[in-house]
Amino acid sequence: MKSLVLRTSTWLMIPVLLLFSVFLLLRGHNLPGGGFVGGLVAASAVLLQLIASGPGEVRRLIPFDVKLLLPAGLLIALFSGLPALALGQPFLTGVWVRLPIWDGLKLGTPTFFDVGVYLVVLGITVQIILSMAEEEQWN
């Protein structure tokens, strides 16, 4: 599709969708949201760009192989369980640290687990979307 309105609105909506996906990611361990939903929203931004400009343009805009997000996310999720083991607690038990910035911001291992899930969902969803679009292009 080569609609000028769609291409222009896509460039306006993609930053909003990506920002919203990060918001969902960061609020997920306390309230509804998290890595899964955030990853799907980020993938929808890629899908919107795909509809507006095609798979070739999306591949050009993403500067790395999206398949690499899957092992990176799995490693981050796996390593998020190690601090609990180091403290003698069961694997994937939440460990929290209070940071002296932003009125005692609490950062914990569930956040890192959510980041891993986010990357896995984003990577697999974008790879599936691009594979289907490129397959359709050849038929």
Coordinates of all heavy atoms in Angstrom, one line a residue, residues 29-123:
H29 N 5.2 -5.4 36.7 CA 5.4 -6.2 37.9 C 4.6 -5.8 39.0 O 4.4 -6.5 40.0 CB 6.9 -6.4 38.2 CG 7.5 -5.1 38.6 ND1 8.1 -4.3 37.6 CD2 7.7 -4.5 39.7 CE1 8.6 -3.3 38.2 NE2 8.4 -3.3 39.5
N30 N 4.0 -4.6 39.0 CA 3.1 -4.1 40.0 C 1.7 -4.0 39.6 O 0.8 -4.1 40.5 CB 3.6 -2.7 40.5 CG 4.9 -2.7 41.2 OD1 5.2 -3.6 41.8 ND2 5.7 -1.6 41.0
L31 N 1.4 -3.7 38.4 CA 0.0 -3.5 37.9 C -0.1 -4.3 36.5 O 0.9 -4.8 36.0 CB -0.2 -2.0 37.7 CG -0.1 -1.1 38.9 CD1 -0.1 0.3 38.5 CD2 -1.3 -1.4 39.8
P32 N -1.3 -4.3 36.0 CA -1.4 -5.0 34.7 C -0.5 -4.4 33.6 O -0.3 -3.3 33.5 CB -2.9 -4.8 34.3 CG -3.6 -4.5 35.6 CD -2.6 -3.9 36.5
G33 N 0.0 -5.3 32.8 CA 1.0 -5.0 31.8 C 2.2 -6.0 31.9 O 2.0 -7.1 32.4
G34 N 3.3 -5.6 31.5 CA 4.5 -6.4 31.6 C 5.2 -6.7 30.3 O 4.8 -6.1 29.3
G35 N 6.1 -7.6 30.3 CA 6.9 -7.9 29.2 C 6.1 -8.4 28.0 O 6.4 -8.1 26.8
F36 N 5.2 -9.3 28.3 CA 4.4 -9.9 27.2 C 3.6 -8.9 26.4 O 3.7 -8.7 25.2 CB 3.5 -11.0 27.7 CG 2.9 -11.8 26.6 CD1 3.6 -12.8 25.9 CD2 1.6 -11.6 26.2 CE1 3.0 -13.5 24.9 CE2 1.0 -12.3 25.2 CZ 1.7 -13.3 24.6
V37 N 2.8 -8.1 27.2 CA 1.9 -7.1 26.5 C 2.7 -6.0 25.9 O 2.5 -5.6 24.8 CB 0.9 -6.5 27.6 CG1 0.1 -5.4 27.0 CG2 0.0 -7.6 28.1
G38 N 3.8 -5.6 26.6 CA 4.7 -4.5 26.0 C 5.3 -5.0 24.7 O 5.4 -4.2 23.8
G39 N 5.8 -6.2 24.7 CA 6.4 -6.8 23.5 C 5.4 -6.8 22.3 O 5.7 -6.6 21.2
L40 N 4.1 -7.2 22.6 CA 3.1 -7.2 21.6 C 2.8 -5.8 21.0 O 2.6 -5.6 19.8 CB 1.8 -7.9 22.1 CG 1.9 -9.4 22.3 CD1 0.6 -9.9 22.9 CD2 2.2 -10.1 21.0
V41 N 2.8 -4.8 21.9 CA 2.5 -3.5 21.5 C 3.7 -3.0 20.6 O 3.4 -2.3 19.6 CB 2.2 -2.5 22.7 CG1 2.2 -1.1 22.2 CG2 0.9 -2.9 23.4
A42 N 4.9 -3.3 21.0 CA 6.1 -2.9 20.2 C 6.0 -3.6 18.8 O 6.3 -3.0 17.8 CB 7.4 -3.2 20.9
A43 N 5.6 -4.9 18.8 CA 5.5 -5.6 17.5 C 4.4 -5.0 16.7 O 4.5 -5.0 15.4 CB 5.2 -7.1 17.8
S44 N 3.4 -4.4 17.3 CA 2.3 -3.8 16.5 C 2.8 -2.5 15.8 O 2.4 -2.2 14.7 CB 1.1 -3.5 17.3 OG 1.4 -2.4 18.2
A45 N 3.8 -1.9 16.4 CA 4.4 -0.7 15.7 C 5.2 -1.2 14.5 O 5.1 -0.5 13.4 CB 5.4 0.0 16.7
V46 N 5.8 -2.3 14.6 CA 6.5 -2.9 13.4 C 5.5 -3.3 12.3 O 5.7 -3.1 11.2 CB 7.4 -4.1 13.8 CG1 8.1 -4.7 12.6 CG2 8.5 -3.6 14.8
L47 N 4.4 -3.9 12.8 CA 3.4 -4.3 11.8 C 2.8 -3.1 11.1 O 2.5 -3.1 9.9 CB 2.3 -5.1 12.6 CG 1.1 -5.5 11.7 CD1 1.6 -6.5 10.6 CD2 0.1 -6.2 12.6
L48 N 2.6 -2.0 11.8 CA 2.1 -0.8 11.2 C 3.0 -0.3 10.1 O 2.6 0.1 9.0 CB 1.8 0.3 12.3 CG 1.2 1.6 11.8 CD1 -0.1 1.4 11.2 CD2 1.2 2.6 13.0
Q49 N 4.3 -0.3 10.4 CA 5.3 0.1 9.4 C 5.3 -0.8 8.3 O 5.5 -0.4 7.1 CB 6.7 0.2 10.1 CG 7.8 0.6 9.1 CD 7.6 2.0 8.7 OE1 7.2 2.9 9.4 NE2 7.9 2.3 7.4
L50 N 5.2 -2.1 8.5 CA 5.1 -3.1 7.4 C 3.9 -2.9 6.5 O 4.1 -2.9 5.3 CB 5.0 -4.5 8.0 CG 4.9 -5.6 7.1 CD1 6.2 -6.0 6.5 CD2 4.2 -6.8 7.7
I51 N 2.8 -2.6 7.0 CA 1.6 -2.3 6.2 C 1.8 -1.0 5.4 O 1.4 -0.9 4.2 CB 0.4 -2.2 7.1 CG1 0.0 -3.5 7.7 CG2 -0.8 -1.6 6.3 CD1 -1.0 -3.4 8.8
A52 N 2.5 0.0 6.0 CA 2.7 1.3 5.3 C 3.7 1.2 4.2 O 3.6 1.9 3.2 CB 3.0 2.3 6.3
S53 N 4.8 0.4 4.4 CA 5.9 0.5 3.5 C 6.4 -0.8 3.0 O 7.3 -0.8 2.1 CB 7.0 1.3 4.1 OG 7.5 0.6 5.3
G54 N 6.0 -1.9 3.5 CA 6.5 -3.2 3.0 C 7.6 -3.8 3.8 O 8.3 -3.1 4.6
P55 N 7.9 -5.1 3.6 CA 8.9 -5.8 4.5 C 10.3 -5.3 4.2 O 11.2 -5.3 5.1 CB 8.7 -7.3 4.1 CG 8.0 -7.3 2.8 CD 7.2 -6.0 2.8
G56 N 10.6 -4.9 3.0 CA 12.0 -4.5 2.6 C 12.3 -3.3 3.4 O 13.5 -3.2 3.9
E57 N 11.4 -2.3 3.6 CA 11.7 -1.1 4.3 C 11.8 -1.4 5.8 O 12.7 -0.8 6.5 CB 10.6 -0.1 4.1 CG 10.7 1.2 4.8 CD 11.8 2.1 4.3 OE1 12.4 1.8 3.2 OE2 12.1 3.1 5.0
V58 N 11.0 -2.3 6.3 CA 11.1 -2.7 7.7 C 12.5 -3.3 8.0 O 13.1 -3.0 9.0 CB 10.0 -3.6 8.1 CG1 10.2 -4.2 9.5 CG2 8.6 -2.9 8.1
R59 N 12.9 -4.2 7.1 CA 14.2 -4.9 7.3 C 15.3 -3.8 7.3 O 16.3 -3.9 8.0 CB 14.5 -5.9 6.2 CG 13.6 -7.1 6.3 CD 14.3 -8.2 7.2 NE 13.5 -9.4 7.1 CZ 13.6 -10.3 8.1 NH1 14.4 -10.2 9.1 NH2 12.9 -11.4 8.0
R60 N 15.2 -2.8 6.4 CA 16.2 -1.7 6.3 C 16.2 -0.9 7.6 O 17.3 -0.5 8.0 CB 15.9 -0.9 5.1 CG 17.0 0.1 4.8 CD 16.6 1.1 3.6 NE 15.6 2.0 4.0 CZ 15.7 3.0 4.8 NH1 16.8 3.3 5.3 NH2 14.6 3.8 5.0
L61 N 15.0 -0.6 8.2 CA 14.9 0.2 9.4 C 15.4 -0.5 10.6 O 15.9 0.2 11.6 CB 13.5 0.7 9.6 CG 13.0 1.7 8.5 CD1 11.5 2.0 8.8 CD2 13.8 3.0 8.6
I62 N 15.4 -1.8 10.7 CA 15.8 -2.5 11.9 C 17.3 -2.9 11.6 O 17.6 -3.7 10.7 CB 15.0 -3.8 12.1 CG1 13.5 -3.3 12.4 CG2 15.5 -4.5 13.3 CD1 12.6 -4.5 12.6
P63 N 18.2 -2.3 12.3 CA 19.7 -2.4 12.0 C 20.3 -3.8 12.5 O 21.5 -3.9 12.4 CB 20.3 -1.3 12.8 CG 19.4 -1.1 13.9 CD 18.0 -1.4 13.5
F64 N 19.5 -4.7 12.9 CA 20.1 -6.0 13.4 C 19.1 -7.1 13.0 O 17.9 -6.9 12.6 CB 20.3 -6.0 14.9 CG 19.1 -5.6 15.7 CD1 18.3 -6.6 16.1 CD2 18.9 -4.3 16.0 CE1 17.1 -6.3 16.9 CE2 17.7 -4.0 16.7 CZ 16.9 -5.0 17.2
D65 N 19.5 -8.4 13.1 CA 18.7 -9.5 12.9 C 17.7 -9.7 14.1 O 18.2 -9.9 15.2 CB 19.5 -10.7 12.7 CG 18.7 -11.9 12.2 OD1 17.5 -11.8 12.0 OD2 19.3 -13.0 12.1
V66 N 16.4 -9.6 13.8 CA 15.5 -9.7 14.9 C 15.5 -11.0 15.6 O 15.1 -11.2 16.8 CB 14.0 -9.3 14.5 CG1 13.9 -7.9 14.1 CG2 13.6 -10.2 13.4
K67 N 16.0 -12.1 15.0 CA 16.1 -13.4 15.6 C 17.1 -13.4 16.8 O 17.0 -14.2 17.7 CB 16.6 -14.4 14.6 CG 15.5 -14.8 13.6 CD 16.0 -15.9 12.7 CE 16.4 -15.2 11.4 NZ 16.9 -16.1 10.3
L68 N 18.0 -12.4 16.9 CA 18.9 -12.3 18.0 C 18.2 -11.8 19.3 O 18.8 -12.0 20.4 CB 20.0 -11.3 17.6 CG 20.9 -11.8 16.5 CD1 22.0 -10.7 16.2 CD2 21.6 -13.1 16.8
L69 N 17.0 -11.2 19.2 CA 16.3 -10.8 20.4 C 15.8 -12.0 21.2 O 15.8 -11.9 22.4 CB 15.1 -10.0 20.0 CG 15.4 -8.6 19.4 CD1 14.1 -7.9 18.9 CD2 16.1 -7.7 20.3
L70 N 15.6 -13.1 20.5 CA 15.1 -14.3 21.3 C 16.1 -14.8 22.3 O 15.9 -14.9 23.5 CB 14.7 -15.4 20.3 CG 14.1 -16.7 20.8 CD1 12.8 -16.4 21.6 CD2 13.9 -17.7 19.8
P71 N 17.4 -15.2 21.8 CA 18.3 -15.6 22.8 C 18.7 -14.6 23.8 O 19.0 -14.9 25.0 CB 19.5 -16.1 22.0 CG 19.4 -15.5 20.7 CD 17.9 -15.2 20.5
A72 N 18.8 -13.3 23.4 CA 19.1 -12.2 24.3 C 18.1 -12.1 25.4 O 18.4 -12.0 26.6 CB 19.2 -10.9 23.6
G73 N 16.8 -12.2 25.1 CA 15.7 -12.1 26.1 C 15.7 -13.4 27.0 O 15.5 -13.2 28.2
L74 N 16.0 -14.5 26.4 CA 16.1 -15.7 27.3 C 17.2 -15.7 28.3 O 17.0 -16.0 29.4 CB 16.2 -17.0 26.4 CG 15.0 -17.4 25.6 CD1 15.3 -18.6 24.7 CD2 13.9 -17.8 26.6
L75 N 18.3 -15.1 27.8 CA 19.5 -15.0 28.8 C 19.2 -14.0 29.9 O 19.5 -14.2 31.0 CB 20.7 -14.6 28.0 CG 21.4 -15.7 27.2 CD1 22.6 -15.2 26.4 CD2 21.9 -16.8 28.2
I76 N 18.6 -12.9 29.5 CA 18.2 -11.9 30.5 C 17.3 -12.5 31.5 O 17.4 -12.3 32.7 CB 17.7 -10.6 29.9 CG1 18.8 -9.9 29.1 CG2 17.1 -9.7 30.9 CD1 18.3 -8.7 28.2
A77 N 16.2 -13.2 31.0 CA 15.3 -13.8 31.9 C 15.9 -14.8 32.8 O 15.6 -14.9 34.0 CB 14.1 -14.4 31.1
L78 N 16.8 -15.6 32.3 CA 17.5 -16.6 33.1 C 18.4 -16.0 34.1 O 18.4 -16.4 35.3 CB 18.4 -17.5 32.1 CG 19.3 -18.5 32.8 CD1 18.4 -19.6 33.4 CD2 20.3 -19.0 31.9
F79 N 19.2 -15.0 33.7 CA 20.1 -14.3 34.7 C 19.3 -13.5 35.8 O 19.9 -13.3 36.8 CB 21.0 -13.4 34.0 CG 22.1 -14.1 33.2 CD1 22.5 -13.7 32.0 CD2 22.8 -15.2 33.8 CE1 23.5 -14.4 31.3 CE2 23.7 -15.9 33.1 CZ 24.1 -15.5 31.9
S80 N 18.0 -13.2 35.5 CA 17.3 -12.5 36.5 C 17.0 -13.4 37.7 O 16.7 -12.9 38.8 CB 16.0 -12.0 36.0 OG 15.1 -13.0 35.7
G81 N 17.1 -14.7 37.6 CA 16.9 -15.6 38.7 C 18.1 -15.9 39.5 O 18.0 -16.4 40.6
L82 N 19.3 -15.5 39.0 CA 20.5 -15.8 39.7 C 20.8 -15.1 41.0 O 21.3 -15.6 42.0 CB 21.7 -15.7 38.8 CG 21.7 -16.6 37.6 CD1 22.9 -16.4 36.7 CD2 21.6 -18.1 38.0
P83 N 20.4 -13.8 41.1 CA 20.6 -13.1 42.4 C 19.9 -13.8 43.6 O 20.4 -13.8 44.7 CB 20.0 -11.7 42.2 CG 20.1 -11.5 40.7 CD 19.9 -12.8 40.1
A84 N 18.7 -14.3 43.4 CA 18.0 -15.1 44.5 C 18.8 -16.3 44.9 O 18.9 -16.6 46.1 CB 16.6 -15.5 44.0
L85 N 19.4 -17.0 43.9 CA 20.2 -18.2 44.3 C 21.4 -17.8 45.1 O 21.8 -18.5 46.0 CB 20.6 -18.9 43.0 CG 19.6 -19.7 42.2 CD1 20.2 -20.4 41.0 CD2 19.0 -20.8 43.2
A86 N 22.0 -16.6 44.7 CA 23.2 -16.2 45.4 C 22.9 -15.8 46.8 O 23.7 -15.9 47.7 CB 23.8 -14.9 44.7
L87 N 21.6 -15.4 47.1 CA 21.2 -15.1 48.5 C 20.6 -16.3 49.2 O 20.0 -16.1 50.3 CB 20.2 -13.9 48.4 CG 20.7 -12.6 47.9 CD1 19.6 -11.6 47.7 CD2 21.8 -12.1 48.8
G88 N 20.7 -17.5 48.6 CA 20.2 -18.7 49.2 C 18.7 -18.8 49.2 O 18.1 -19.6 49.9
Q89 N 18.0 -18.1 48.2 CA 16.6 -18.2 48.1 C 16.3 -19.1 46.8 O 17.1 -19.3 46.0 CB 16.0 -16.9 47.9 CG 16.2 -16.0 49.2 CD 15.6 -14.6 49.0 OE1 15.4 -14.1 47.9 NE2 15.5 -13.9 50.1
P90 N 15.0 -19.5 46.6 CA 14.7 -20.3 45.4 C 14.9 -19.4 44.2 O 14.8 -18.2 44.2 CB 13.2 -20.6 45.6 CG 13.0 -20.5 47.1 CD 13.9 -19.5 47.6
F91 N 15.2 -20.1 43.1 CA 15.4 -19.5 41.8 C 14.2 -18.7 41.4 O 13.0 -19.1 41.6 CB 15.6 -20.6 40.7 CG 15.9 -20.1 39.3 CD1 17.1 -19.4 39.1 CD2 15.1 -20.3 38.3 CE1 17.5 -18.9 37.9 CE2 15.4 -19.8 37.0 CZ 16.6 -19.1 36.8
L92 N 14.4 -17.5 40.8 CA 13.4 -16.5 40.4 C 12.6 -15.9 41.5 O 11.6 -15.3 41.3 CB 12.4 -17.1 39.3 CG 13.0 -17.3 38.0 CD1 12.0 -18.0 37.0 CD2 13.6 -16.1 37.3
T93 N 13.1 -16.0 42.7 CA 12.5 -15.2 43.8 C 12.9 -13.7 43.6 O 14.0 -13.4 43.3 CB 13.0 -15.7 45.2 OG1 12.6 -17.1 45.3 CG2 12.4 -14.9 46.3
G94 N 11.9 -12.8 43.8 CA 12.2 -11.4 43.6 C 13.2 -10.9 44.6 O 13.0 -11.1 45.8
V95 N 14.2 -10.2 44.1 CA 15.2 -9.5 44.9 C 15.1 -8.0 44.6 O 15.2 -7.6 43.4 CB 16.6 -10.0 44.7 CG1 17.6 -9.3 45.5 CG2 16.7 -11.5 45.0
W96 N 14.9 -7.2 45.6 CA 14.8 -5.7 45.4 C 15.9 -4.9 46.0 O 16.4 -5.3 47.0 CB 13.4 -5.3 46.0 CG 12.3 -6.0 45.3 CD1 11.7 -7.1 45.7 CD2 11.6 -5.6 44.2 NE1 10.7 -7.5 44.9 CE2 10.6 -6.5 43.9 CE3 11.7 -4.5 43.3 CZ2 9.7 -6.5 42.8 CZ3 10.8 -4.4 42.2 CH2 9.9 -5.4 42.0
V97 N 16.3 -3.9 45.3 CA 17.3 -2.9 45.8 C 16.7 -1.5 45.7 O 16.1 -1.2 44.7 CB 18.6 -3.0 44.9 CG1 19.6 -2.0 45.3 CG2 19.1 -4.4 44.9
R98 N 16.9 -0.8 46.8 CA 16.4 0.6 46.8 C 17.5 1.5 46.3 O 18.6 1.6 46.9 CB 15.9 1.0 48.2 CG 15.2 2.4 48.2 CD 14.6 2.7 49.5 NE 13.5 1.7 49.9 CZ 12.2 1.8 49.5 NH1 11.9 2.8 48.7 NH2 11.3 1.0 49.8
L99 N 17.3 2.3 45.2 CA 18.2 3.2 44.7 C 18.0 4.6 45.3 O 16.9 5.0 45.5 CB 18.1 3.2 43.2 CG 18.4 1.9 42.4 CD1 18.1 2.1 41.0 CD2 19.7 1.4 42.7
P100 N 19.1 5.3 45.5 CA 18.9 6.6 46.1 C 18.5 7.8 45.2 O 18.6 8.9 45.5 CB 20.4 6.9 46.6 CG 21.2 6.2 45.7 CD 20.5 5.0 45.3
I101 N 18.0 7.4 44.0 CA 17.5 8.4 43.1 C 15.9 8.3 43.0 O 15.4 7.3 43.4 CB 18.1 8.2 41.6 CG1 17.7 6.8 41.1 CG2 19.5 8.4 41.6 CD1 18.1 6.6 39.7
W102 N 15.3 9.4 42.6 CA 13.9 9.4 42.5 C 13.1 9.0 43.7 O 12.3 8.1 43.7 CB 13.4 8.7 41.3 CG 13.6 9.3 40.0 CD1 13.5 10.6 39.7 CD2 14.1 8.7 38.8 NE1 13.8 10.8 38.4 CE2 14.2 9.6 37.8 CE3 14.4 7.4 38.5 CZ2 14.6 9.4 36.5 CZ3 14.8 7.1 37.2 CH2 14.9 8.1 36.2
D103 N 13.5 9.5 44.9 CA 12.8 9.3 46.1 C 12.8 7.8 46.5 O 11.8 7.2 46.8 CB 11.3 9.8 46.1 CG 10.7 9.9 47.4 OD1 11.5 10.1 48.4 OD2 9.5 9.7 47.5
G104 N 14.0 7.2 46.4 CA 14.2 5.8 46.8 C 13.6 4.8 45.8 O 12.8 3.9 46.2
L105 N 13.8 4.9 44.5 CA 13.3 4.0 43.5 C 13.7 2.6 43.8 O 14.9 2.3 44.1 CB 13.9 4.4 42.1 CG 13.5 3.5 41.0 CD1 12.1 3.7 40.6 CD2 14.4 3.9 39.8
K106 N 12.8 1.7 43.8 CA 13.0 0.2 44.0 C 13.2 -0.4 42.6 O 12.3 -0.3 41.8 CB 11.9 -0.4 44.8 CG 11.9 0.0 46.2 CD 10.7 -0.6 47.0 CE 10.6 -2.1 46.8 NZ 9.5 -2.6 47.6
L107 N 14.3 -1.1 42.5 CA 14.6 -1.9 41.2 C 14.8 -3.4 41.6 O 15.5 -3.7 42.6 CB 15.9 -1.4 40.6 CG 16.2 -2.0 39.2 CD1 15.1 -1.7 38.2 CD2 17.6 -1.4 38.8
G108 N 14.1 -4.2 40.9 CA 14.1 -5.6 41.3 C 14.3 -6.6 40.1 O 14.2 -6.2 39.0
T109 N 14.6 -7.8 40.5 CA 14.8 -8.8 39.4 C 13.5 -9.1 38.6 O 13.7 -9.5 37.4 CB 15.3 -10.1 40.0 OG1 14.4 -10.6 41.1 CG2 16.7 -9.9 40.6
P110 N 12.3 -8.9 39.1 CA 11.1 -9.1 38.2 C 11.2 -8.1 37.0 O 10.7 -8.5 36.0 CB 9.9 -8.8 39.1 CG 10.4 -9.2 40.5 CD 11.9 -8.8 40.5
T111 N 11.7 -7.0 37.2 CA 11.8 -6.0 36.1 C 12.7 -6.6 35.0 O 12.4 -6.5 33.8 CB 12.4 -4.7 36.6 OG1 11.6 -4.2 37.6 CG2 12.4 -3.6 35.5
F112 N 13.8 -7.2 35.4 CA 14.7 -7.8 34.4 C 14.1 -9.0 33.8 O 14.3 -9.2 32.6 CB 16.1 -8.1 35.1 CG 16.9 -6.9 35.5 CD1 16.9 -6.5 36.8 CD2 17.5 -6.1 34.5 CE1 17.7 -5.4 37.2 CE2 18.2 -5.0 34.9 CZ 18.3 -4.6 36.2
F113 N 13.3 -9.8 34.5 CA 12.6 -10.9 33.9 C 11.6 -10.4 32.9 O 11.5 -10.9 31.8 CB 11.9 -11.7 35.0 CG 11.2 -12.9 34.4 CD1 11.9 -14.0 34.2 CD2 9.8 -12.8 34.2 CE1 11.2 -15.2 33.7 CE2 9.2 -13.9 33.7 CZ 9.9 -15.1 33.4
D114 N 10.9 -9.3 33.2 CA 10.0 -8.7 32.2 C 10.7 -8.2 31.0 O 10.1 -8.3 29.9 CB 9.2 -7.6 32.9 CG 8.0 -8.1 33.7 OD1 7.6 -9.2 33.5 OD2 7.4 -7.3 34.4
V115 N 11.9 -7.6 31.1 CA 12.6 -7.2 30.0 C 13.0 -8.4 29.1 O 12.9 -8.3 27.9 CB 13.9 -6.4 30.4 CG1 14.8 -6.2 29.2 CG2 13.5 -5.1 31.1
G116 N 13.4 -9.5 29.7 CA 13.7 -10.7 28.9 C 12.4 -11.2 28.2 O 12.5 -11.5 27.0
V117 N 11.3 -11.2 28.8 CA 10.1 -11.6 28.2 C 9.7 -10.7 27.0 O 9.3 -11.1 25.9 CB 8.9 -11.7 29.2 CG1 7.6 -12.0 28.5 CG2 9.2 -12.8 30.2
Y118 N 9.9 -9.4 27.3 CA 9.6 -8.3 26.3 C 10.4 -8.6 25.0 O 9.9 -8.6 23.9 CB 10.0 -7.0 26.9 CG 9.8 -5.8 26.0 CD1 8.6 -5.1 26.0 CD2 10.8 -5.3 25.2 CE1 8.4 -3.9 25.2 CE2 10.7 -4.2 24.4 CZ 9.5 -3.5 24.4 OH 9.3 -2.4 23.6
L119 N 11.7 -8.9 25.2 CA 12.6 -9.1 24.0 C 12.2 -10.4 23.3 O 12.3 -10.4 22.1 CB 14.1 -9.1 24.5 CG 14.6 -7.8 25.0 CD1 16.1 -8.0 25.5 CD2 14.6 -6.8 23.9
V120 N 11.9 -11.4 24.0 CA 11.5 -12.7 23.4 C 10.2 -12.5 22.6 O 10.2 -12.9 21.4 CB 11.3 -13.8 24.4 CG1 10.7 -15.0 23.8 CG2 12.7 -14.2 25.0
V121 N 9.2 -11.9 23.2 CA 8.0 -11.7 22.5 C 8.1 -10.8 21.3 O 7.6 -11.1 20.2 CB 6.9 -11.1 23.4 CG1 5.6 -10.7 22.7 CG2 6.5 -12.2 24.5
L122 N 8.9 -9.7 21.4 CA 9.1 -8.8 20.3 C 9.9 -9.5 19.2 O 9.5 -9.4 18.0 CB 9.9 -7.6 20.8 CG 10.3 -6.6 19.7 CD1 9.0 -6.0 19.1 CD2 11.1 -5.5 20.3
G123 N 10.9 -10.3 19.5 CA 11.7 -10.9 18.5 C 10.9 -12.0 17.7 O 11.0 -12.0 16.5

